[in-house]
Amino acid sequence: MKPSEQIEPYKPHAVETYWQRCWAEAGLHRTPEGDGRPKFYCLDFFPYPSGAGLSVGHCRNYVPSDVISRYHRMKGYAVLHPMGWDAFGLPAENEAIDKGVHPRDSTTRYAANYRRQMSLIGASYDWEREINSSDPGYYRWTQWIFLLLHRRGLAYQALAPVNWCEHCQTTLANEEVEYGTCWRCHRPVVRRDLRQWFLRITAYAEELLAETGHLDWPEHILAMQRGWIGRSEGVEFEMAVAGHPGASFRVFTTRPDTVYGMTFAVLAPEHPLVGGITAPERQAEVAAYGERARCTTEIERLSTERVRDGVFTGAHAINPVNGQSVPIFVADYVLPGYGTGAIMAVPAHDQRDFQFAHRNGLEVVQVIHPPSVPPASRGEETAAYEGEGVMANSGPFDGQWSTQAWQGIADRMEQAGYGRRIVQYRMRDWLISRQRYWGAPIPIVHCSRCGAVPVPEEQLPVLLPHMPDYQPRGDGRSPLENLPDFVSTSCPACGGPARRETDTMGGFACSSWYFLRFADPWYKTGPFNPEEVRHWLPVDLYVGGAEHAVMHLLYARFWTKVLADAGLLHFREPFPRLRSQGILHASDGRRMSKSRRNVVTPDAVVERTGADVLRIHLLFMAPFDHDVVWDEEGIVGAQRFLERVWRVCLETGSWGPGVDEDPEQSEAATPKAAAWLPHSKAAPGLSTPEMQAGEEALQRAVHRTIQRVTEGIEAYKFNTALAALMGLTNTLGAYADQRRPGPGSADRTWEWATGVLIRLLAPFAPHITEELWARRGGAFSVHQKPWPDFDPSLAAEQVVTLVVQVNGRVRERITVPATITDEEASRLALASERVLAYVKGQPKKVIVVPGRLVSIVV
Ligand code: ANZ
Ligand code: ZN
C-alpha cells in the first residue's frame, strides 16, 4: 500500500497519554455492579512491589491478562480485573534493609511506581479496589483467618527441626527452601530445633492432591504440586533391637516385597533412638557424625552423586519376617522428617542402599529377578534392580510375582500385628512463623497459666508497631522482642500478666486469601463480603509464573478449603483455571536482574515506541507460555504493523462526514475524506462484477479473521490472533490499492471491515484503536463496543475446483483455496502425479484462469 501524504503520522505518545486520561476520568475500568451480565474475574498473581520496578518480563504477564480482560468486557461480561500489593514479607524487608529505608516507606513508594508503570502500558485495572497487605485494615483479617485456623486445630506450636537461614535470621517453610538454599538470599539453609508455629496443611494433603485432577492448569505446574505433595503407598512395620529389651523402631517402606532382602537397617542421625542403642565405644563417632549431618543441606543428603557414608551403631535389629538380625547404621541419606526417619535397607533393590552397602562392605541379597534372568550370585550385582519380577530367597513367597508378594507380605505383617499399610505424604506442615519484623504479628498471647491464648477477635488487629530500627537481632528472635510495651500484656483468658507472641506470619499468609478481598475491599465486618464473594468467586482466570507452583498456589488452595469447611465459602478451589506465561530472558540469555544490568524497563521501551507497540511486540514474539529472549530489533515489526493499521483505517475516512457528499466538494472540505482520492482507480459510483467479487472476498476475509482472533484469544494464542490481524490489514491494504470505495457511493464493506479491524485489535492495542475509532466518528469508547460476531459459513475457507489441462485435454481436477495465487495454482497442478504422466521436463507454457483452469502446454 502506498503511504498517503494526507494522513497525519501516527504519534503514539500523544495518543496514549490522552486516552489514558480519558479512561481514568470516565472510570472506564471500574468493576460493574451486579447488572445481570455474566461475571468474569481475571486476576494476576499478587506482586510484591520491588524497588527495581517492572521489567518488560513482568509485562509478559500483565499484558496478556489485560487483553483477556478487555476482550471479555467487549464480549459482554462484567469484568473484575483488580490489582494490589503483597507488601509484607521477607523480600520487601530484605530490600529495605539493603537500601537503608523503612519497608513501610519503600513498599508505598514502590507500589506507586508499579501502578504508574502498569498504567503506562495501558493495563485496565480497577484501581479503586487496590489493596495493600501491610495495611492494618487488611492484615487484621489475615490475623482473623489465623485464629480461625487455630480454632479448628489447624494452627499449632511445636518444637521441631526447622529450616533456618543464618543470613536472613529467620526460619523458612519447606516450600521456601530451594535446593537446600534460602529462596531470598540463596545461601544454604541449616536445620535447627526451634519452637515454631505450623499450619496443618497435611490434613488436606489428600484433597489437595486429588483435586489436581480437576484443575485446568498447565500440566507442568500440576506435576510440581503432585510431586511436592508426594503420595506414597507403603507399609510401616516395627523392628525390635536385639539386646535392648523394649527398644524398637518403625520403618516405612514402599517395597514390602523386598523385606527378605534386608541386610541392614538405617536410622537418621536425628532419630531419637540413636543415643540409646549405640554401643558405648561408638558413641563419640556417632555423635560426631550427627553433628556433620546437621550442617549438610537436605539436597546434598539426598543427592545420588554423593558418597554414601554412615556409621555403625554396634546394635542389631530383628527382621520380623524371618527373625534374622541385621546391623543398624546411622546415615544421613535417611531424613528425619520423612516416614519414620528409619529404613530397612535392601541393597539389591534400592540404589542408595546399594551404594551404601558397597562402600561399607555389606551383604547384597537379591530377592526379585526378571523372569528371564536368574538371581545373580551374591556380590555380583553392579546396580540395584528396582523393577518387578519373580520372588526368590523369600521363604513362602518364592516364585510369586513381586506385586502379588507385595500384598501377601503386607497382609502377613498386618495379621501378625507388627505392621500396617499406610499412605505417606512427602509434604510437611507449613511453618508460618518468622523471626522478622515486616509481617502480620501472630495474634497469640502467652500466659504462664493459660498457655497460648488467642487474641479476642474484637481486639484485632494486633498492630505491627512502628520500629525505625527493625533489623534482625542476631539471636534468632524477632525484633519485636525489643519493645517491652508490645511484649507485655495481659492474658485475655485470666487477666494475669502475659507476653505477646513476637513472631510474625510469613508473607505467604497474606497472599493466601487476597483474591477474596478484591470482591469487596471496603468490607468492614469480616475478611470478605459473603455476597460479593458468592457473585465474583472463584477466579475465572488466574495468570502468573511457574515459580509459585508449590508455594502460593498450594497455600491459597489450602486456606480456601479451610474457609469452605468453616462454611464461609461456596467453593473449594480458588483458581479452577490457571495460565502461566513463559519467562522472558534478557538479550544475553539470562534472567533480567538489576545486578546484571540487563533489565529492560517498559518505561524505556514506551519512550521509544509507545505502549501499544510494546504490547504487540510482547504478544507477537512467542506463544504466551514459551520462554523467550528479549529482542529489541523485532520491535520494528510491531511498529510497522500499527502504522499500517493507522493508514488503512484513516485512508478513506468514509465514516466521517463526506461519505455521501459530492467528491469534488468533499476533497476541499474534508481532508480526511480526500485521503483516498489520489489512489482512486474506480470511476465514481461504478460497480463492476470484479468489484463485487472483491467485496465478497473481503467480507470472507473479515469473518475468517474474527473467528481466528476470537479463537486465538480464547486459547491464549495471542501471537496467532495477531498474525490473523496482520493478514487482514494486508488484505485491506491490497483492497484499497486495487479499488477505492466510490465516492458518492460509500463502500459499506470497506467501512465495516476497517471498523471490525479496529474492534478486534482493541484489546491488544487499546490506545491506537481508541484514537482511530474516534477519528472515524465512533462514539467513546471502542472498548465498550460489542465484540464482532462471525458467520461460520462465511468464515469457512472458500475452495474452488480447478480443471487441469495438458495440451487442451482435461487430465486432473484439483481443489484449492479460493484465494490461491496463480503461481501457487500452477505449482500444485504440476505437482499432481496424473499431470506429471503427461508432462516430461519443463512445460512450454502454463496459463492460469483464476478459479477455473490451469492450462499446460508441452
Ligand atoms: C525399602 C526399600 C526397598 C525401599 C526397595 C525402596 C526400594 P518414596 O517413594 O519417596 O515414598 N525411605 C523411607 N523413609 C525414608 C527417609 N526418612 N529418608 C530417606 N529414605 C527413606 O520413598 C519411600 C522409600 O524411601 C522407602 O522404601 C524407603 O526405602 C525410603 F527396593 O524401603 B524403601
Ligand atoms: Zn535467607
Side-chain angles (χ1 to χ4, degrees):
M1 189 181 52
K2 294 164 212 131
S4 310
E5 278 121 50
Q6 288 86 347
I7 295 175
E8 134 192 10
Y10 164 45
K11 297 205 190 80
H13 298 103
V15 167
E16 290 171 5
T17 2
Y18 177 74
W19 288 113
Q20 283 169 9
R21 215 177 54 229
C22 293
W23 294 338
E25 279 167 12
L28 203 66
H29 307 135
R30 186 178 295 137
T31 312
E33 310 277 313
D35 56 1
R37 279 185 283 169
K39 65 96 183 178
F40 190 84
Y41 184 177
C42 181
L43 184 65
D44 296 292
F45 281 13
F46 202 31
Y48 122 73
S50 135
L54 293 181
S55 73
V56 287
H58 297 102
C59 300
R60 267 204 97 196
N61 179 339
Y62 302 127
V63 171
S65 69
D66 191 60
V67 172
I68 296 276
S69 298
R70 291 176 178 277
Y71 164 77
H72 279 88
R73 291 193 191 104
M74 293 176 79
K75 279 291 254 188
Y77 287 85
V79 171
L80 171 57
H81 188 38
M83 180 47 74
W85 317 112
D86 193 8
F88 261 154
L90 205 51
E93 187 174 355
N94 280 0
E95 188 173 349
I97 291 175
D98 279 353
K99 299 205 169 124
V101 289
H102 195 276
R104 179 157 308 170
D105 302 330
S106 54
T107 50
T108 310
R109 211 167 56 234
Y110 300 159
N113 186 45
Y114 266 43
R115 180 171 161 166
R116 181 192 61 75
Q117 288 182 297
M118 287 171 172
S119 301
L120 186 73
I121 60 168
S124 60
Y125 295 114
D126 177 356
W127 288 112
E128 289 174 13
R129 291 178 189 239
E130 182 176 358
I131 57 181
N132 181 320
S133 63
S134 66
D135 283 344
Y138 181 89
Y139 70 72
R140 77 174 280 188
W141 301 115
T142 311
Q143 293 172 334
W144 187 93
I145 298 174
F146 179 91
L147 293 179
L148 175 85
L149 287 152
H150 191 257
R151 231 174 13 251
R152 299 181 71 81
L154 297 169
Y156 64 94
Q157 216 179 2
L159 179 71
V162 296
N163 310 300
W164 174 260
C165 175
E166 190 56 40
H167 176 257
C168 294
Q169 284 283 308
T170 185
T171 52
L172 299 170
N174 288 342
E175 289 79 3
E176 292 168 335
V177 178
E178 297 171 346
Y179 302 106
T181 68
C182 168
W183 70 303
R184 294 320 306 169
C185 70
H186 304 293
R187 289 180 174 82
V189 164
V190 295
R191 289 249 157 196
R192 270 208 191 175
D193 291 316
L194 293 170
R195 199 167 166 74
Q196 297 291 316
W197 284 95
F198 292 88
L199 300 183
R200 211 180 294 281
I201 191 172
T202 51
Y204 287 83
E206 190 142 12
E207 187 189 344
L208 286 167
L209 181 70
E211 285 294 316
T212 59
H214 308 293
L215 296 174
D216 176 11
W217 287 17
E219 195 46 51
H220 67 283
I221 294 190
L222 290 174
M224 281 164 82
Q225 287 227 340
R226 293 185 188 122
W228 185 262
I229 298 167
R231 183 180 197 272
S232 292
E233 282 179 26
V235 167
E236 199 178 279
F237 68 89
E238 189 99 22
M239 289 211 281
V241 181
H244 291 261
S248 70
F249 59 94
R250 287 173 305 129
V251 298
F252 170 65
T253 178
T254 49
R255 296 295 303 275
D257 49 331
T258 65
V259 67
Y260 287 88
M262 175 191 341
T263 56
F264 56 100
V266 184
L267 301 181
E270 296 86 348
H271 196 285
L273 204 62
V274 171
I277 61 164
T278 300
E281 71 277 12
R282 299 189 171 269
Q283 287 283 359
E285 194 191 354
V286 169
Y289 182 82
E291 208 37 60
R292 259 182 291 141
R294 189 176 273 287
C295 305
T296 314
T297 64
E298 198 160 294
I299 200 78
E300 278 177 80
R301 288 174 65 158
L302 287 175
S303 162
T304 46
E305 307 300 308
R306 241 171 112 239
V307 176
R308 301 252 164 255
D309 66 354
V311 286
F312 179 44
T313 59
H316 288 78
I318 309 297
N319 184 343
V321 294
N322 58 10
Q324 263 179 22
S325 95
V326 295
I328 304 174
F329 284 79
V330 167
D332 69 2
Y333 75 97
V334 175
L335 301 174
Y338 187 63
T340 59
I343 65 162
M344 68 159 180
V346 185
H349 302 291
D350 179 289
Q351 189 59 25
R352 290 166 305 176
D353 297 343
F354 183 84
Q355 289 169 335
F356 190 89
H358 239 247
R359 189 172 156 78
N360 296 283
L362 297 160
E363 231 192 319
V364 179
V365 176
Q366 204 172 8
V367 293
I368 295 172
H369 62 93
S372 51
V373 187
S377 0
R378 297 188 174 192
E380 274 178 12
E381 303 87 347
T382 52
Y385 174 68
E386 298 189 337
E388 294 176 11
V390 183
M391 300 292 294
N393 301 322
S394 296
F397 299 95
D398 280 1
Q400 285 187 13
W401 190 252
S402 58
T403 51
Q404 188 192 355
W406 197 111
Q407 302 299 342
I409 293 173
D411 285 344
R412 192 172 138 179
M413 289 179 165
E414 285 183 341
Q415 279 150 21
Y418 56 79
R420 60 185 178 113
R421 288 179 170 84
I422 62 159
V423 173
Q424 181 71 44
Y425 293 94
R426 192 157 282 279
M427 181 173 65
R428 303 279 71 132
D429 278 342
W430 170 13
L431 195 169
I432 185 103
S433 44
R434 299 287 176 278
Q435 292 67 47
R436 293 292 295 258
Y437 168 67
W438 193 236
I442 290 178
I444 292 285
V445 166
H446 298 281
C447 168
S448 52
R449 269 198 283 169
C450 311
V453 183
V455 173
E457 265 173 38
E458 59 280 8
Q459 287 175 26
L460 298 181
V462 175
L463 279 177
L464 179 68
H466 184 66
M467 287 184 83
D469 183 14
Y470 58 90
Q471 315 269 340
R473 285 158 49 110
D475 64 352
R477 290 161 74 198
S478 158
L480 292 177
E481 294 275 345
N482 300 349
L483 303 178
D485 287 353
F486 176 82
V487 175
S488 67
T489 182
S490 53
C491 171
C494 72
R499 292 174 52 84
R500 262 188 211 289
E501 171 65 60
T502 53
D503 281 356
T504 53
M505 281 186 249
F508 284 106
C510 310
S511 53
S512 291
W513 72 280
Y514 79 106
F515 44 93
L516 305 170
R517 188 72 186 163
F518 279 133
D520 179 356
W522 308 278
Y523 196 61
K524 291 247 153 49
T525 46
F528 47 85
N529 179 335
E531 246 171 77
E532 294 294 326
V533 161
R534 186 163 280 281
H535 175 66
W536 287 109
L537 273 286
V539 174
D540 294 280
L541 174 67
Y542 201 26
V543 184
E547 66 275 14
H548 286 297
V550 294
M551 295 195 278
H552 160 61
L553 287 173
L554 202 53
Y555 298 148
R557 294 181 61 212
F558 163 46
W559 279 33
T560 300
K561 290 175 193 305
V562 175
L563 291 166
D565 282 341
L568 301 171
L569 293 179
H570 62 288
F571 55 94
R572 302 189 69 82
E573 285 290 342
F575 320 120
R577 167 176 283 188
L578 172 76
R579 290 294 177 271
S580 203
Q581 77 279 5
I583 299 170
L584 180 67
H585 295 284
S587 45
D588 59 9
R590 305 203 289 177
R591 242 176 201 286
M592 287 194 182
S593 94
K594 232 184 169 182
S595 58
R596 293 185 188 130
R597 299 162 178 276
N598 61 4
V599 178
V600 181
T601 66
D603 311 60
V605 183
V606 169
E607 167 98 36
R608 283 195 288 279
T609 67
D612 283 341
V613 168
L614 169 62
R615 291 170 65 111
I616 300 292
H617 182 51
L618 282 170
L619 294 164
F620 191 64
M621 68 200 311
F624 167 71
D625 54 356
H626 284 202
D627 290 354
V628 60
V629 169
W630 173 254
D631 164 25
E632 185 88 48
E633 268 152 45
I635 207 164
V636 294
Q639 210 159 9
R640 288 204 195 109
F641 166 53
L642 290 186
E643 280 164 3
R644 211 172 303 139
V645 170
W646 179 263
R647 287 199 305 270
V648 162
C649 294
L650 291 182
E651 236 196 341
T652 64
S654 54
W655 271 18
V659 181
D660 298 310
E661 287 170 25
D662 175 21
E664 314 295 327
Q665 297 276 311
S666 67
E667 183 175 14
T670 58
K672 277 200 276 177
W676 47 264
L677 281 176
H679 311 295
S680 183
K681 281 176 191 157
L686 201 82
S687 182
T688 64
E690 283 81 43
M691 286 172 70
Q692 276 166 15
E695 261 179 55
E696 200 199 309
L698 180 60
Q699 254 176 33
R700 289 185 178 280
V702 170
H703 280 276
R704 215 162 35 240
T705 308
I706 300 174
Q707 179 176 19
R708 286 194 190 152
V709 174
T710 307
E711 289 171 359
I713 294 178
E714 300 266 357
Y716 307 92
K717 295 191 168 145
F718 306 103
N719 57 331
T720 60
L722 279 171
L725 286 168
M726 291 172 182
L728 179 63
T729 308
N730 292 341
T731 305
L732 283 165
Y735 181 91
D737 277 350
Q738 279 167 15
R739 173 177 173 284
R740 292 293 127 186
S745 68
D747 185 338
R748 296 278 167 208
T749 308
W750 170 265
E751 285 169 24
W752 163 78
T754 46
V756 169
L757 172 66
I758 293 173
R759 277 183 291 157
L760 292 180
L761 185 60
F764 302 90
H767 311 87
I768 188 176
T769 47
E770 190 78 284
E771 173 77 12
L772 289 170
W773 188 258
R775 283 189 183 224
R776 295 166 46 113
F780 183 78
S781 156
V782 68
H783 301 293
Q784 292 173 318
K785 298 295 170 268
W787 186 252
D789 281 328
F790 63 90
D791 176 339
S793 65
L794 287 173
E797 183 86 63
Q798 278 270 295
V799 292
V800 289
T801 304
L802 300 179
V803 167
V804 185
Q805 293 180 347
V806 182
N807 288 346
R809 298 191 57 173
V810 177
R811 297 296 184 191
E812 173 71 305
R813 284 171 217 279
I814 55 175
T815 306
V816 297
T819 51
I820 196 167
T821 61
D822 291 357
E823 295 79 50
E824 186 64 9
S826 54
R827 199 187 61 77
L828 284 176
L830 284 165
S832 151
E833 281 191 21
R834 288 217 222 141
V835 172
L836 282 176
Y838 298 96
V839 183
K840 309 266 178 285
Q842 262 317 96
K844 257 199 214 137
K845 210 175 185 184
V846 181
I847 303 160
V848 180
V849 182
R852 284 185 217 142
L853 180 74
V854 181
S855 174
I856 301 165
V857 181
V858 293

